[in-house]
DNA sequence: CGTTAGCACTCGTTATCGATGAGTGCTAAT
DNA sequence: ATTAGCACTCATCGATAACGAGTGCTAACG
């Protein structure tokens, strides 16, 4: 529905605006070497594009800026996904060579790289653990009435909680209960631990029932609080460098949002697999209605594990961010596959 | 060296300025019910106080604001440490009643409470672990060539790392090495693990030497990276609400500093025990030269464990923050003593 | 008919100027 | 020693004007 020339002009306007953050006038477009029309012609086209909803005018005597619809069209039809800058590839690759044998470390590092290379804010959602299965369960006594409960999953994820031991129970008894749980529950997905316990293991435990209840409580809690540890942020303060956030109040609502792990979890929970772009008001959370969120899911061995995302102003370098996310999500998959074979 | 009246006036100016964030004029002081002097008298005293270095004038026709030296005198001699607001005590107490059986959780929660009650940024440094001693060391295999190494300390602190197992080594052999380490090293402070191993356990390990090397490497790494996990922040965005930080650039340098865990560790490493107040340029880091940092150490059973701190503008409610830190540091000591008996 | 030069017009930005008023320092009277 | 009085300073605010970037429209051009 847009003519070739209109598409070209829209493309140029968005590219220029992404770089300059200032409204683009007809004259500056006309002066470009790849454009051979006079300002007047450009103006006519721009007026049409505005009528169609792809451009906006901050005020009468200013140039045009892209609207949400304009960005959307750009992302869907115009953007040329450049190869990632060689230098940037280099940095990502060197990320590979560093040996990191902690999954958390890899993920946090990936977030750092993303925010460094883009100067936006990166958000990475780590793998969920409740689909993992129990590999090992253990109690380590640390005093007369306290012990550390340790849970290891098949992916090597470790959760631990300090629990206090009831006075009327010996350490031996406790240990026995743990042994029973271990023999019966290894291999069971964490999400089904509790139900599994009640239906199949309940009777065997006999007098340990009460203690098992307690242990299960610990397990349960471990799974809940783990949400907090799935979200990795980096470069939140990059928001402050964006000219659209020179107003302190605006940036505060965004930064406050980033502090709320549950909200981020919710934002990321409903994303499709692959690359997704949410522009401005397409985001349901009002605080980021003048931001764009670009996300890419990563997976290993066919299992979708988590999501990496970049949050920046709507005036974002979509081409760069998309290709970078694409690159990194694939690389992460390779790195993480080690834990998921 | 200051007359009683000068002290009174300085006190009033700082109290008012802390509340209003605007230069205080002689007239507004004179109008207070507890002051019975004319503006002219106040002005004379203010001129003297300025000459002595306790006050400053932003410009000729403005009121006075406290200088660093003024704040320092206020903190050292004038501030009346009010009891903590009942409502606030209530909140801190309710923090007690919630049962939290994870030390991290308690510390993070303490940070949240601090920032909520003060509207400043809170920084909490958790207990260091390298003075803890080894309680338990274990390998949990998670695949053919990978295992999770788990370290439990006497305080119930758990560190874990994923390690890959060399192809030329059976799981059994590995396990035996672990067993030897366990019998020999339990009770040894983490800081001395490595040297202890080489001097005393070395020869016994025989052919496992190489593997032990590797395991020790894991331990070593665990102790290093643990620094990152000692710093707990809350309310960093509160900085944005302070009128002295309406300028985005200023606030960015502060927020960037807060993102650098090592810098914070360094800031907190050289603090005396008890309450400490660092005002403005008394802070060595330039980024917070117009901030004040108030810290309080907390301890259990005589052992100093960590530090809780509040970072805000120099125009900070010192009375409130100091008494709150005092309260909370003692309460935390009680809560945490459980892990350190 | 598409394109473009020309031109009047809009409107945000910036600078200037004066009025305002809060606050000071100084002096002289109390 | 205290204070009333007063001249002075200077940030803030509003109005006004100059400026200029950019537009929309019209008419001319190929």
């Amino acid at each position: 529905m847009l003519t070739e020339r209109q598409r070209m002009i829209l493309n140029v306007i968005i590219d220029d605006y992404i770089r300059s953050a200032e409204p683009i006038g007809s004259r500056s477009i006309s002066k470009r070497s790849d454009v051979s029309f006079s300002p007047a012609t450009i103006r006519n086209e721009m007026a049409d594009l505005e009528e169609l909803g792809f451009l906006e005018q901050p005020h009468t005597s200013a140039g045009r800026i892209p609207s949400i619809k304009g960005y959307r069209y750009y992302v869907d039809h115009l953007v040329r996904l450049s190869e990632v800058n060689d230098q940037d590839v280099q940095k990502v690759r060197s990320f590979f060579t560093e040996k990191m044998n902690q999954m958390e470390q890899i993920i946090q590092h990936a977030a750092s790289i993303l925010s460094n290379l883009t100067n936006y804010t990166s958000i990475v959602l780590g793998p969920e653990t409740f689909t993992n299965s129990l590999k090992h369960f253990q109690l380590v006594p640390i005093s007369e009435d306290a012990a550390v409960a340790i849970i290891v999953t098949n992916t090597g994820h470790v959760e631990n909680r300090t629990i206090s031991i009831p006075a009327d129970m010996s350490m031996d008894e406790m240990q026995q209960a743990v042994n029973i749980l271990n023999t019966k529950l290894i291999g069971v997905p964490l999400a089904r631990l509790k139900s599994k316990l009640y239906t199949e293991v309940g009777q065997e435990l006999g007098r340990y029932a009460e203690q098992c209840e307690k242990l299960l409580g610990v397990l349960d809690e471990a799974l809940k609080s783990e949400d907090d540890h799935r979200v990795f942020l980096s470069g939140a303060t990059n928001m402050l460098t964006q000219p659209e956030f020179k107003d302190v109040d605006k940036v505060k609502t965004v930064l406050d949002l980033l502090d709320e792990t549950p909200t981020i979890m919710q934002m990321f929970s409903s994303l499709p697999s692959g690359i997704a772009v949410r522009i401005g008001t397409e985001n349901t959370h009002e605080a980021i209605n003048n931001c764009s969120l670009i996300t890419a899911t990563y997976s290993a061995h066919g299992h979708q594990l988590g999501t990496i995302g970049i949050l920046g102003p709507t005036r974002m370098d979509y081409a760069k961010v998309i290709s970078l996310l694409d690159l990194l999500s694939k690389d992460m998959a390779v790195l993480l596959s080690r834990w998921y074979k």
Side-chain angles (χ1 to χ4, degrees), chain A:
Chain A
M1 82 212 211
L2 291 187
T3 68
E4 193 52 43
R5 194 168 66 186
Q6 282 173 326
R7 292 157 55 98
M8 185 267 278
I9 290 177
L10 180 59
N11 197 344
V12 166
I13 289 178
I14 295 185
D15 280 343
D16 279 8
Y17 184 64
I18 284 174
R19 231 174 307 117
S20 70
E22 268 160 26
I24 309 299
S26 57
R27 217 176 96 88
S28 72
I29 295 179
S30 170
K31 274 197 292 191
R32 286 174 60 115
S33 58
D34 54 345
V35 174
S36 56
F37 299 98
S38 75
T41 310
I42 309 285
R43 276 204 292 281
N44 285 329
E45 296 286 30
M46 279 162 70
D48 289 348
L49 282 169
E50 182 172 358
E51 204 164 351
L52 290 169
F54 295 98
L55 294 180
E56 285 172 1
Q57 226 176 350
H59 56 266
T60 315
S61 69
R64 302 302 209 291
I65 63 175
S67 65
I68 305 284
K69 187 176 173 185
Y71 283 123
R72 172 49 63 193
Y73 190 87
Y74 174 79
V75 168
D76 289 344
H77 303 110
L78 300 178
V79 68
R80 276 187 315 130
L81 290 188
S82 54
E83 289 298 303
V84 177
N85 178 357
D86 272 354
Q87 222 175 348
D88 293 355
V89 174
Q90 208 54 40
K91 287 189 187 166
V92 175
R93 294 299 179 214
S94 74
F95 162 53
F96 264 109
T97 61
E98 281 186 52
K99 54 179 175 189
M100 285 178 286
N101 36 27
Q102 192 71 347
M103 197 160 68
E104 274 200 358
Q105 208 180 353
I106 291 180
I107 294 172
Q108 179 62 59
H109 204 89
S112 304
I113 285 193
L114 274 178
S115 64
N116 277 334
L117 294 185
T118 60
N119 281 317
Y120 300 125
T121 302
S122 72
I123 307 170
V124 178
L125 192 64
E128 53 190 22
T129 53
F130 67 83
T131 56
N132 295 350
S133 58
L134 185 67
K135 189 83 184 184
H136 186 75
F137 180 38
Q138 186 177 22
L139 276 188
V140 177
I142 57 170
S143 73
E144 286 169 11
D145 57 356
V148 177
I150 298 175
I151 301 163
V152 185
T153 74
N154 62 323
T155 62
H157 182 78
V158 177
E159 287 279 344
N160 67 282
R161 290 293 177 281
T162 307
I163 63 174
S164 49
I165 301 172
D168 63 342
M169 182 174 209
S170 78
M171 196 58 82
D172 278 349
E173 291 176 309
M174 205 75 169
Q175 206 59 57
Q176 266 184 290
V178 171
N179 287 341
I180 294 178
L181 289 180
N182 249 323
T183 54
K184 294 291 176 184
L185 296 181
I186 281 182
V188 175
L190 299 191
R192 282 193 294 150
L193 265 190
K194 199 160 188 173
S195 64
K196 182 94 175 179
L197 179 84
Y198 286 122
T199 57
E200 300 188 25
V201 196
Q203 58 275 31
E204 288 210 38
L205 288 168
R207 57 168 299 232
Y208 305 117
E210 195 183 333
Q211 281 70 29
C212 281
E213 191 81 28
K214 179 150 192 176
L215 292 181
L216 259 284
V218 172
L219 288 175
D220 232 35
E221 195 195 337
L223 304 185
K224 259 181 222 148
S225 78
E226 153 259 348
D227 263 11
D228 296 344
H229 301 302
R230 282 188 64 197
V231 175
F232 298 80
L233 278 184
S234 180
T237 59
N238 284 344
M239 283 292 170
L240 296 167
T241 65
Q242 300 298 335
E244 26 269 282
F245 290 114
K246 66 176 190 299
D247 178 11
V248 177
D249 291 334
K250 275 185 194 159
V251 81
K252 179 160 179 4
T253 59
V254 177
L255 290 186
D256 281 345
L257 177 87
L258 293 178
D259 268 351
E260 289 172 31
T261 313
T263 312
I264 291 181
M265 292 286 297
Q266 187 199 330
M267 271 171 50
F268 275 61
S269 66
S270 55
L271 292 171
S273 62
I275 301 249
V277 182
R278 295 277 165 92
I279 302 166
T281 50
E282 294 173 7
N283 290 292
T284 48
H285 287 274
E286 199 178 352
I288 54 169
N289 270 186
N290 40 22
C291 293
S292 281
L293 175 66
I294 308 184
T295 53
T297 54
Y298 60 90
S299 43
H301 304 297
H303 283 293
Q304 184 169 315
L305 298 181
T307 309
I308 62 183
I310 294 281
L311 185 70
T314 48
R315 180 190 59 81
M316 191 190 244
D317 190 339
Y318 293 93
K320 178 177 181 181
V321 170
I322 290 174
S323 35
L324 192 60
L325 281 179
D326 189 51
L327 173 70
L328 207 68
S329 65
K330 282 167 185 157
D331 283 8
M332 271 184 76
V334 175
L335 270 181
L336 296 183
S337 66
R338 164 182 170 195
W339 279 273
Y340 288 89
K341 46 190 157 191

